[in-house]
Amino acid sequence: MPRFLGLVLFLLISAPAANADDGYRLWLKYDLISNPALRKEYASIARFITCSENDPVSKTACLELQAGLQGLLGKPVPVQSSGFKPGTIELVLLPKGTPDTDNLGKDGFKIQPGRGRTAILAAHPSGLLYGAFEFLRYLQTEGKPGELSGVRRPRVQLRMLNHWDNPLGTIERGYAGASLWKWYELPETIDPRYRDYARANASIGINAVVLNNVNASARFLTPEYLPKVKALADVLRPYGIKVFLSINFASPKTLGKLKTSDPLDPQVRAWWQEKVREVYSYVPDFGGFLVKANSEGEPGPQEHGRTHADGANMLAEAFRPHGGLVIWRAFVYGPDPKGDRFKEAYQEFKPLDGQFAPNVIVQVKNGPIDFQPREPFHPLFGAMPKTPLAMEFQITQEYLGFSTNLVFLAPLFKECLDSDTYARGKGSTVARVIDGSVHDYPVTVMAGVANTGSDRNWTWHSMSQANWYAFGRLAWDHQLSSARIAEEWARMTLTQDPSAVATIKDILLGSRETYVRFTTPMGLHHIMGQGIHFGPEPWLARSARPDWTSIYYHRADTVGLGFDRTPQGSNALSLYAPETQQPWSDPNSCALPYLLWFHHVPWDKPLSSGRTLWDELCLQYYAGTDEVAAMQARWETVQPHVDPEWFADVRGRLAVQHREALHWRDACVLYFQTFSRKPLPPGLNPPKRTLEEMKRIVEIYQLR
Ligand code: BDP
């Protein structure tokens, strides 16, 4: 064979497949609609765009609409500043003060199909932006006539990502590469990726971003870094996104060289006022500060004998002239071996209700411990009628198998949001606390700890893109179902083939329960690997703090398993309304998914499933692991319908997940068996490895 022919052959073989999809475009692919009839139908309503507004956000709406339509329809869609020809989509800002404007609010929009003209109407430019993306979503998901028209309004005002990104480019609990923000080359160099990040957020309604880790470096508040923050704010602003920063409470001392950071000290107060003024001189529409104080070693007002309210109100005062917010986190807990971490945030914050300034919001994690695969909702929801509470979800999968595991989080988010606090009678769901309708909160916030990073596909596990998407969609409208979100995402991202969409949707919807089964079934929690929070370590008995061990939480002994939080135990149950307590309070009727959250249950107690606790526990671990194998088999069936690169990537990751599920199953079953001293129930093959071998595997994960 001539040499050059060999080279040509090599190049042909090694070239990526024509349709290889590296995941960069997320759900915003805008590939040509493959069904010609549909394409024709859509093309007839989208031949021209009219945009008469000139502000940056309206212009973005217009350009995004144009780019999306051109891709989907495969032909140019001209934009005009006025005029009307049949087949025009018109973006219209409504005059102020009309009933329609009041009804739409800040970010809402109305889509009004008419004869030869579809109007997207909004009271503010951001509404046009969200309306444009909604229109595109309609085409991307092959929507039917009638589904398009109507009014859409977000239920929560601030739909926010919290980045736990560090100044040196690492991300705390980030599994998708380095930070997106290249602090060292800002502000001179603007990575085009910042804009793509902004587009993705805007397309799902996210309108606020905290740029840096809650374990915050003070450097972001310096004149060296504020121009960098400004540069990012300038890129995000045309996409309707406001920038916030996490701050270090000790900054007056570390940065300002004051003697103290005491929030009641006049010099400290003046320092913050000046600092906040300086921030606004760079970013005139700056959102505010997010604060982790007196938590896990971070400084805070308590070192000075002051309360969380004293600290938050001092900052709130500095923001008042500028309209900014202070988002104060309630993630606090003291290291009390005899205490119950479940109760600590409640005990610290509940007495402060009514003491916070009006521009303070208290941000509460979804559950009382820490982003576990399943938690009951945090008892503070419903308990702070006078203090706006923000929801904090974790999108990054710190406790959910990092990015090696496929776990769709919409069902986890929904489970919490749909829980009833009974704060103002039946129907006072967590979602309605967060959206302000239960207690008339003037400010409403839903935050998610981001799972993005510098990996080409943004989220490392390509299927974890669905979690970013789901968070945004639920922050916009918590009434959307997980099934609908899964379907939208699958269609926009992977395929239009109906059976493949149905399979992917099923895989997504079952994945969280599967993860719970093979890691922490029936209400077990916090038994993961120390420090890295990966893999099983139920035997962990010693750590820097008692509440960082596993035995603190599972309480296994020869009698049984689980944390007694009834009045005979820590009585954490009493923090909930009586109606919420009721279904959890009796071990005989408590739903199995919550059983070990609230009860210490004897190993041979018969459960509602008809099996004893021990048998049921083993069965869950085995079933969860088998379900991963079933996910693998189901994924194989979608091969003809999804991009080859995606297919192979997910196939590999599911195999990894199966290996990890076996680790969890074997480690937990063997370890808990040392307490139950019972054989595995009939039909289950005992693990092939010994407990010592499992301990060794976990140790390897933690070697330096
Ligand atoms: C824990 C994480 C830790 C965070 C902390 C927080 O392990 O890295 O700093 O949450 O939310 O779950 O502050």
Side-chain angles (χ1 to χ4, degrees):
M1 180 166 53
R3 242 197 176 159
F4 80 93
L5 203 62
L7 180 69
V8 170
L9 268 179
F10 169 78
L11 286 176
L12 276 177
I13 294 166
S14 59
N19 57 346
D21 180 359
D22 61 13
Y24 184 80
R25 294 178 300 157
L26 295 160
W27 49 87
L28 302 175
K29 296 201 161 64
Y30 303 139
D31 289 336
L32 189 68
I33 294 171
S34 55
N35 176 337
L38 264 183
R39 203 160 69 224
K40 203 163 155 220
E41 181 192 319
Y42 293 148
S44 70
I45 58 166
R47 295 171 58 211
F48 306 96
I49 302 169
T50 301
C51 301
S52 43
E53 303 304 328
N54 258 328
D55 65 275
V57 175
S58 298
K59 277 195 193 151
T60 307
C62 195
L63 290 175
E64 285 294 332
L65 189 59
Q66 184 186 34
L69 290 176
Q70 290 187 167
L72 290 161
L73 303 175
K75 54 177 168 194
V77 180
V79 175
Q80 54 210 12
S81 56
S82 61
F84 160 69
K85 299 185 197 127
T88 297
I89 304 173
E90 197 179 2
L91 299 183
V92 185
L93 273 188
L94 293 164
K96 285 197 177 54
T98 64
D100 250 351
T101 350
D102 296 345
N103 179 29
L104 292 174
K106 160 85 173 51
D107 291 337
F109 57 87
K110 182 174 180 181
I111 301 188
Q112 208 169 269
R115 282 207 298 148
R117 165 188 186 256
T118 306
I120 301 180
L121 311 160
H124 296 271
S126 53
L128 294 183
L129 183 63
Y130 301 131
F133 278 116
E134 180 73 15
F135 191 90
L136 290 169
R137 180 164 27 245
Y138 168 77
L139 266 57
Q140 288 173 285
T141 54
E142 304 195 340
K144 315 256 169 329
E147 285 173 11
L148 187 59
S149 57
V151 170
R152 318 263 199 301
R153 263 185 319 251
R155 290 179 196 270
V156 169
Q157 293 158 9
L158 281 173
R159 306 166 297 275
M160 169 181 263
L161 285 186
N162 289 182
H163 286 272
W164 285 0
D165 294 23
N166 296 315
L168 299 186
T170 54
I171 305 179
E172 175 138 351
R173 314 302 179 182
Y175 312 103
S179 172
L180 292 170
W181 324 128
K182 296 180 176 163
W183 293 111
Y184 285 101
E185 60 181 48
L186 280 163
E188 293 84 358
T189 305
I190 303 292
D191 186 336
R193 205 164 170 160
Y194 302 152
R195 186 171 155 269
D196 291 336
Y197 163 85
R199 300 180 58 219
N201 277 336
S203 76
I204 49 176
I206 288 170
N207 64 352
V209 162
V210 183
L211 294 174
N212 61 318
N213 192 357
V214 287
N215 300 317
S217 159
R219 77 167 80 180
F220 295 101
L221 294 180
T222 60
E224 285 68 36
Y225 270 70
L226 285 171
K228 300 172 192 276
V229 172
K230 170 187 164 27
L232 287 175
D234 289 346
V235 180
L236 301 181
R237 188 175 299 110
Y239 282 87
I241 299 170
K242 260 191 186 190
V243 158
F244 288 65
L245 286 173
S246 297
I247 56 124
N248 186 301
F249 197 80
S251 299
K253 220 171 149 183
T254 49
L255 218 60
K257 309 292 175 209
L258 299 187
K259 285 205 182 65
T260 175
S261 296
D262 180 349
L264 298 193
D265 181 285
Q267 271 188 309
V268 171
R269 297 178 87 87
W271 188 86
W272 278 114
Q273 280 162 26
E274 177 49 25
K275 188 46 81 184
V276 168
R277 196 205 52 74
E278 189 186 347
V279 174
Y280 276 91
S281 72
Y282 289 93
V283 184
D285 56 351
F286 185 70
F289 289 160
L290 174 65
V291 193
K292 173 174 178 178
N294 295 121
S295 163
E296 300 184 332
E298 292 299 314
Q302 291 176 344
E303 279 116 73
H304 311 280
R306 316 297 183 196
T307 67
H308 288 291
D310 294 329
N313 292 346
M314 167 197 62
L315 294 172
E317 182 185 72
F319 274 105
R320 202 165 307 131
H322 311 279
L325 300 172
V326 175
I327 306 183
W328 193 271
R329 295 176 87 227
F331 179 65
V332 297
Y333 57 103
D336 178 359
K338 294 218 177 70
D340 182 357
R341 179 168 157 191
F342 194 115
K343 302 196 289 188
E344 288 165 22
Y346 183 99
Q347 284 167 340
E348 277 199 50
F349 276 85
K350 167 82 182 153
L352 299 176
D353 191 28
Q355 294 186 30
F356 290 100
N359 53 338
V360 175
I361 296 128
V362 170
Q363 182 164 301
V364 182
K365 288 190 181 183
N366 58 294
I369 302 296
D370 198 356
F371 296 141
Q372 295 300 294
R374 167 166 282 124
E375 295 199 31
F377 69 91
H378 201 298
L380 274 174
F381 295 120
M384 303 274 285
K386 299 189 196 120
T387 313
L389 295 185
M391 169 62 76
E392 180 175 318
F393 284 127
Q394 195 179 44
I395 315 172
T396 188
Q397 290 170 235
E398 175 178 359
Y399 300 93
L400 290 115
F402 292 5
S403 281
T404 60
N405 281 231
L406 192 168
V407 187
F408 181 52
L409 296 176
L412 185 158
F413 299 157
K414 286 284 286 184
E415 191 172 285
C416 175
L417 292 166
D418 292 345
S419 300
D420 204 337
T421 70
Y422 289 90
R424 291 259 159 92
K426 195 168 164 46
S428 308
T429 59
V430 172
R432 295 190 56 245
V433 171
I434 295 306
D435 74 17
S437 49
V438 172
H439 301 303
D440 295 325
Y441 292 158
V443 195
T444 56
V445 184
M446 198 187 297
V449 180
N451 65 345
T452 49
S454 63
D455 278 0
R456 181 71 192 158
N457 72 355
W458 303 87
T459 55
W460 189 16
H461 197 314
S462 25
M463 301 293 276
S464 299
Q465 292 181 0
N467 291 333
W468 181 6
Y469 184 83
F471 169 76
R473 295 290 284 143
L474 284 172
W476 176 276
D477 182 2
H478 52 66
Q479 301 277 295
L480 294 175
S481 70
S482 300
R484 163 150 178 203
I485 295 170
E487 173 154 354
E488 279 179 3
W489 179 81
R491 281 170 167 267
M492 292 165 81
T493 312
L494 288 174
T495 178
Q496 296 289 353
D497 177 81
S499 77
V501 168
T503 304
I504 294 165
K505 195 168 130 183
D506 267 14
I507 291 177
L508 288 171
L509 291 176
S511 59
R512 184 277 187 128
E513 202 57 52
T514 294
Y515 188 79
V516 169
R517 282 206 183 102
F518 72 74
T519 59
T520 48
M522 288 196 286
L524 284 172
H525 49 282
H526 210 292
I527 57 170
M528 67 287 154
Q530 169 162 226
I532 58 167
H533 300 166
F534 182 77
E537 200 174 353
W539 47 82
L540 179 65
R542 244 176 299 159
S543 186
R545 302 167 49 131
D547 50 9
W548 286 351
T549 67
S550 299
I551 61 162
Y552 176 95
Y553 295 97
H554 64 62
R555 316 243 155 165
D557 55 23
T558 51
V559 177
L561 180 66
F563 199 133
D564 184 355
R565 293 189 165 105
T566 68
Q568 288 74 49
S570 78
N571 206 15
L573 256 176
S574 68
L575 307 184
Y576 293 104
E579 297 90 333
T580 305
Q581 289 179 40
Q582 198 265 330
W584 288 332
S585 60
D586 179 352
N588 295 308
S589 53
C590 178
L592 292 190
Y594 293 97
L595 185 63
L596 305 175
W597 267 105
F598 295 112
H599 302 281
H600 190 72
V601 182
W603 292 110
D604 49 13
K605 182 180 169 60
L607 305 179
S608 54
S609 63
R611 289 179 277 269
T612 64
L613 172 71
W614 169 246
D615 284 1
E616 184 65 40
L617 187 77
C618 295
L619 216 96
Q620 294 275 340
Y621 274 113
Y622 275 73
T625 310
D626 292 346
E627 281 166 26
V628 180
M631 273 160 80
Q632 290 180 278
R634 300 201 74 191
W635 181 252
E636 291 299 315
T637 68
V638 306
Q639 181 164 19
H641 306 289
V642 303
D643 172 86
E645 197 170 323
W646 265 80
F647 177 78
D649 183 55
V650 175
R651 174 195 266 170
R653 283 167 202 278
L654 284 172
V656 173
Q657 183 166 352
H658 190 250
R659 166 161 50 81
E660 287 169 5
L662 281 166
H663 286 168
W664 271 97
R665 186 196 79 178
D666 291 356
C668 293
V669 166
L670 290 169
Y671 169 72
F672 290 128
Q673 197 172 32
T674 63
F675 298 95
S676 80
R677 304 199 194 124
K678 290 176 191 300
L680 261 63
L684 301 185
N685 294 323
K688 295 202 181 71
R689 301 173 277 209
T690 64
L691 182 56
E692 288 320 303
E693 282 166 327
M694 293 318 301
K695 287 187 176 173
R696 178 71 192 139
I697 289 176
V698 169
E699 217 180 326
I700 291 168
Y701 279 130
Q702 300 188 355
L703 287 178
R704 281 186 174 269

